[in-house]
Amino acid sequence: VWLVSLCATQVKAWADAFGVELYSIVTKYSGSLLLQKKYKDVEPTLKIKEVDGLELVKKFSEQMESMLRRKVEAVERLVEAAEDADLNHEYNSSLEFDYYNSLLINDKDENDNYVELGDEFILEPNEHFNNLLVNTTYSDIQLPTNVYNKDPDILNGVYMSEALNPIFVDNFERDPTLTWQYFGSSTGFFRLYPGIKWLPDENGVISFDCRNRGWYIQAATSPKDIVIIVDVSGSMKGLRMTIAKHTITTILDTLGENDFVNIIAYNDYVHFIEPCFKGILVQADRDNREHFKQLVDELQAKGVGTVNKALTESFKILREFREAGQGGLCNQAIMLITDGAVEDYEAVFEKYNWPDRKVRVFTYLIGREVTFAPNVKWIACNNKGYYTQISTLADVQENVMEYLHVLSRPMVINHDHDIIWTEAYMDSALFASQAQSLLLMTTVAMPVFSKKNETRSHGILLGVVGSDVPLRELLKLAPRYKLGVHGYAFLNTNNGYILSHPDLRPLYKEGKKLKPKPNYNSVDLSEVEWEDRDEILRTAMINGETGYLSMDVKVPVDKGKRVLFLTNDYFFTDISGTPFSLGVVLSRGHGEYILLGNTSVEEGLHDLLQPDLSLANEWIYCITDIDPDHRKLSQLEAVIRFLTGEEPDLECDEELVQEVLFDAVVTAPMEAYWTTLALNMSPQGCCCIAPSRAAQLLHTVHNGHPGFSLGRKFLTQKDKESIFTMDHFPLWYRRAAEHPPGSFIYSIVSEDDSGNPSLNTRGEGKRKLFASCFPRHVCPNPFIAASCLVGNTGKFLGAVDGSVMTQLLNMGMFRRVTMYDYQAMCKVPYHHHSGAQPLLSPIYAFLAAVKWLIILHASITVQTAPGRSSALAFSPCLLTIAAHKHKKHDILQPCDTEYPVFVYEQAIKETNGLIECGDCQKMFVAQQIISSNLLLLVTDAVCDCSVFPPVLLDVKEVKYILPYVCSRGTEFHRSLHLHVC
């Protein structure tokens, strides 16, 4: 005890000396005191404005509504043009017409002549379309491989739809923020603007069929409740069962979030293929559809088929949902898949469906046998359905699609042009270039009908027009810099699914390639805002309500290594005319107030134009994407032209521009301060960066040579990832905001070319002003050097010494916090059958890439009895999750996981003790280092304490008693749109 007490006194002295010296160094080179003084000097001129969260979210919503309304108007113009063109077009079965086929354009034969349907088509890279080669003056035509490109129906449709070309161009001129516009024909061709070159897959096949896309199906039909009945009697063995399974899968692919479904298999008895869905309909979201597909794949044929009981069960389910006001509240249908029906089934229809015939019955006769064709056809025709015979796998796609035309007839006859908005989906061209939360987009689409009198009564759907809306454009209207250091905006649908959220991770990594997760567009709001356990926020936003909610939350940052404890205020409202809701989050202490400075334009411009200063170019000071003449301007150039009056038409955020001018003036002295330091430092030196209070501008100085110069090659790729973007405040900035004022945050960064670890510091003044210094090499200071325990630098303490970590936990210096990840990926057990594709979670990709962390071992060796001791300085906040190597044969699927994070208790400044390790006692002393996030730990390195297991940070899968879909499959929400049914 006496020895421990003596060591504790000595360690405290070391820690104090270390802290004072370290604080002196980083204070000097960061210039934090000068920065604090400059803001203190101008404090009398500052104004503080309180943020009204409800007013803010309503303002953002109105701007988004206005923007989305412009997209709807563009689509409406296309619908009108297409319908008028069809009205004036006379069908010509012998029509000859050459058009731009997207697969064949610019192709030449062996004689250097353009191939048929492949004339010259000018393509140029366009930044607005992700630098793809496009033609913004003309559209072209894509067809799937199984559609003949000179079929008379195709030629007539393409000829008629030529009228859309000038409308495409006019729409783009009216609203330059528009992206892709298109028309998908019911005959199978796809007109796309701007025109592009379409490439086949590795097998030389064009599999894209616009009629299978969600936007087409949703616009062509109303929401529907469907029960699929499949015959699994003995006669369905072999090819017939294969065709039947493919038919079910194809039907499932035509369903979406607003549809509801169940599947019944019958032979001697009736059974629901998913027992937990017995007697109900479930939302046809992606998870449920994929679950059904796996179960369908396991069906086996045996016994004798009796369809009556299956039909009776189906009618009962549909009636119960209809009377209870559940499901899609629109179309209801039964899909009967069989190779024949022989028993007396008329009584079932008399009891449950006649005379109103509220449920349509579609029948699919499997196989070439026609003996039972009249019976199966009679069932469909007497129940307002459609009959088709499917003899081969090639017949499935076209025959299944026919039911959509039948269900669309009421809309066609009444000419009800429903506007539909799809769930989020991904633009693969952006995989490697954008933040994951900004990859997604939505489509606005409307159906196109024939206006001809002779066809109107029959209800002919000509196709669907649509336009893509990148969610990035929406979130520009709710900029993160207006929401505080931890604030953000997010969007979700009326079904509860995320459209955009900064914590949404739609991608996983397979090798070096990024690929979309299979369930990326069906992530529920409750899986991201998981502290909303009572689903108060989720329910309110699904119902399109306007309101406010406060929650204490645990926010994982740095890929799950750390956690922030925040109190968030949630403000939410609907976006009128859409099924979307907008949420805005403001964190207590950071998003409640805005600091407004005051400076003249002349003074501000003088300092803003200094060569050492750069602006956060993704922040929208001025809108530059409307006028084509402004698109090449950087934000700094746009701000200058706006302030000098060179571009009076520029629309700029005057409040934000005033803030950046003020910050430029206040931080201007930092350049001279750092220049003086740089001129007196060794060539290795360091680079210092001082972001302003809103982090909208950076001052940089680097002394790589005598004197100093600022080179663009100085910043590493990792440094570039630590800058401010439209949707991202860097981790170092967010962590500093939560640290006590006047202290610094330290963290290990990757080793430099010399093999030496570098130390990052983040500092915060009492006004929450930030300064940061990035040493390029280890400073010549005895307190910051390589560890005396070789190989342990960068590792997690619990993995290096489980005995000490266990004691620190027991003594309360650390506490364990359990975190959950509802977007994880887990390995599938080898014996388990699954249709999931090989996947790799972003978390696991991270785990495979990083090492265990402890921060900074000091190079002090202390000799005490009975053996050696070692001293370590480490960060109490730097924690990781256990690393896993991804093997090629591993198959991963979406899952839920939990993992620990260990949090330092700030109130405990020091602790010490003896650990009984069997043959010896292990001494340890832990002491907080002042004005930092470091602890100095001195412990006996000789005493073997391996009896204590390591404290690991393993990720564990959360297991459920029932399949995951059973716990969520019955939760559904009705579309807010009104449809003609």
Side-chain angles (χ1 to χ4, degrees), residues 424-441:
Y425 66 96
M426 196 172 297
D427 184 349
S428 59
L430 299 179
F431 276 11
S433 61
Q434 303 292 342
Q436 288 198 31
S437 60
L438 300 179
L439 286 173
L440 306 181
M441 57 179 57

Side-chain angles (χ1 to χ4, degrees), residues 642-905:
F642 170 72
L643 292 173
T644 57
E646 292 180 44
E647 296 282 355
D649 295 335
L650 268 170
E651 184 180 343
C652 297
D653 186 333
E654 295 188 27
E655 186 176 277
L656 185 62
V657 170
Q658 180 61 35
E659 287 182 22
V660 78
L661 290 179
F662 176 76
D663 288 340
V665 171
V666 174
T667 60
M670 300 303 295
E671 179 185 2
Y673 178 86
W674 282 332
T675 299
T676 302
L677 286 177
L679 291 172
N680 292 284
M681 287 173 62
S682 63
Q684 286 79 15
C686 77
C687 167
C688 295
I689 300 179
S692 71
R693 60 194 165 83
Q696 53 190 318
L697 51 85
L698 296 175
H699 288 272
T700 55
V701 175
H702 180 241
N703 68 316
H705 303 281
F708 74 91
S709 64
L710 177 63
R712 293 188 178 273
K713 293 183 179 180
F714 162 69
L715 292 178
T716 66
Q717 184 59 42
K718 189 171 182 63
D719 293 333
K720 293 175 183 177
E721 292 173 0
S722 298
I723 62 177
F724 300 83
T725 63
M726 190 190 85
D727 76 319
H728 170 72
F729 278 117
L731 175 65
W732 58 266
Y733 189 83
R734 297 183 66 186
R735 288 186 65 207
E738 293 305 306
H739 210 59
S743 59
F744 290 87
I745 289 180
Y746 303 86
S747 62
I748 284 287
V749 296
S750 58
E751 295 182 352
D752 61 19
D753 294 337
S754 68
N756 296 317
S758 300
L759 183 69
N760 274 8
T761 65
R762 324 314 187 179
E764 181 180 12
K766 66 179 182 179
R767 293 193 59 82
K768 295 189 180 295
L769 312 175
F770 305 98
S772 179
C773 182
F774 300 92
R776 300 306 299 162
H777 300 280
V778 175
C779 300
N781 187 291
F783 295 102
I784 305 177
S787 169
C788 56
L789 296 179
V790 178
N792 284 336
T793 300
K795 291 184 178 179
F796 172 58
L797 177 63
V800 175
D801 195 330
S803 62
V804 173
M805 189 66 193
T806 300
Q807 289 299 107
L808 293 177
L809 284 167
N810 292 338
M811 301 175 83
M813 183 163 257
F814 289 94
R815 65 185 172 95
R816 177 189 175 111
V817 176
T818 300
M819 301 293 289
Y820 296 92
D821 182 5
Y822 296 107
Q823 301 178 68
M825 307 295 288
C826 299
K827 285 193 293 185
V828 179
Y830 296 125
H831 64 274
H832 176 67
H833 176 78
S834 172
Q837 299 178 359
L839 304 173
L840 180 60
S841 164
I843 283 189
Y844 278 80
F846 161 72
L847 299 178
V850 300
K851 301 177 180 178
W852 297 97
L853 295 178
I854 298 175
I855 218 168
L856 205 60
H857 293 247
S859 63
I860 303 175
T861 299
V862 186
Q863 296 293 337
T864 60
R868 292 183 304 162
S869 294
S870 61
L872 303 88
F874 67 96
S875 166
C877 299
L878 281 181
L879 306 165
T880 68
I881 305 168
H884 297 273
K885 291 186 178 180
H886 177 69
K887 299 178 182 179
K888 288 184 178 179
H889 61 264
D890 288 347
I891 297 176
L892 294 106
Q893 65 182 7
C895 64
D896 297 343
T897 60
E898 65 178 30
Y899 60 94
V901 173
F902 294 92
V903 179
Y904 173 63
E905 293 291 358

Side-chain angles (χ1 to χ4, degrees), residues 489-537:
F490 64 94
L491 295 160
N492 67 283
T493 72
N494 60 300
N495 283 310
Y497 296 128
I498 291 293
L499 272 178
S500 182
H501 193 289
D503 293 331
L504 179 66
R505 304 191 310 273
L507 300 179
Y508 74 96
K509 206 167 188 178
E510 186 176 83
K512 294 184 178 180
K513 292 184 178 180
L514 286 171
K515 294 187 176 181
K517 292 181 182 178
N519 62 339
Y520 76 87
N521 59 0
S522 59
V523 177
D524 195 274
L525 179 61
S526 62
E527 296 173 326
V528 179
E529 298 290 348
W530 55 273
E531 300 283 5
D532 182 31
R533 292 183 175 87
D534 296 328
E535 297 194 352
I536 297 172
L537 174 67

Side-chain angles (χ1 to χ4, degrees), residues 248-411:
I248 297 173
T249 299
T250 305
I251 293 173
L252 289 172
D253 286 337
T254 66
L255 305 180
E257 293 177 1
N258 294 323
D259 303 318
F260 296 83
V261 66
N262 207 335
I263 302 177
I264 296 175
Y266 73 92
N267 42 29
D268 301 292
Y269 62 97
V270 171
H271 68 278
F272 292 83
I273 67 170
E274 175 49 74
C276 70
F277 292 163
K278 182 177 181 180
I280 62 171
L281 297 173
V282 295
Q283 195 166 18
D285 59 22
R286 190 265 170 202
D287 289 331
N288 287 335
R289 295 197 308 268
E290 292 303 312
H291 184 63
F292 275 133
K293 288 178 184 179
Q294 292 183 19
L295 296 175
V296 165
D297 190 48
E298 297 169 359
L299 290 176
Q300 296 181 353
K302 58 183 177 180
V304 179
T306 54
V307 74
N308 279 5
K309 292 181 180 179
L311 285 170
T312 299
E313 190 73 30
S314 302
F315 280 120
K316 285 181 178 179
I317 294 172
L318 294 170
R319 183 179 64 186
E320 289 173 4
F321 264 60
R322 184 170 64 245
E323 292 176 352
Q326 297 177 329
L329 301 182
C330 204
N331 293 307
Q332 290 193 325
I334 293 173
M335 306 295 196
L336 175 59
I337 302 168
T338 180
D339 64 345
V342 294
E343 71 265 36
D344 183 13
Y345 34 72
E346 185 173 343
V348 177
F349 300 125
E350 288 180 347
K351 182 176 181 180
Y352 292 102
N353 204 37
W354 295 349
D356 296 334
R357 292 175 170 80
K358 293 181 179 179
V359 178
R360 296 179 184 266
V361 182
F362 296 85
T363 56
Y364 300 88
L365 181 63
I366 305 299
R368 299 184 183 278
E369 180 61 51
V370 296
T371 303
F372 301 105
N375 297 358
V376 178
K377 186 175 183 179
W378 180 92
I379 292 174
C381 293
N382 283 276
N383 290 278
K384 298 172 64 177
Y386 188 87
Y387 157 81
T388 185
Q389 184 170 4
I390 304 178
S391 303
T392 68
L393 287 170
D395 297 335
V396 172
Q397 184 70 47
E398 289 295 330
N399 286 321
V400 166
M401 296 300 292
E402 288 296 336
Y403 94 87
L404 296 174
H405 295 287
V406 176
L407 292 185
S408 69
R409 283 175 187 165
M411 296 172 58

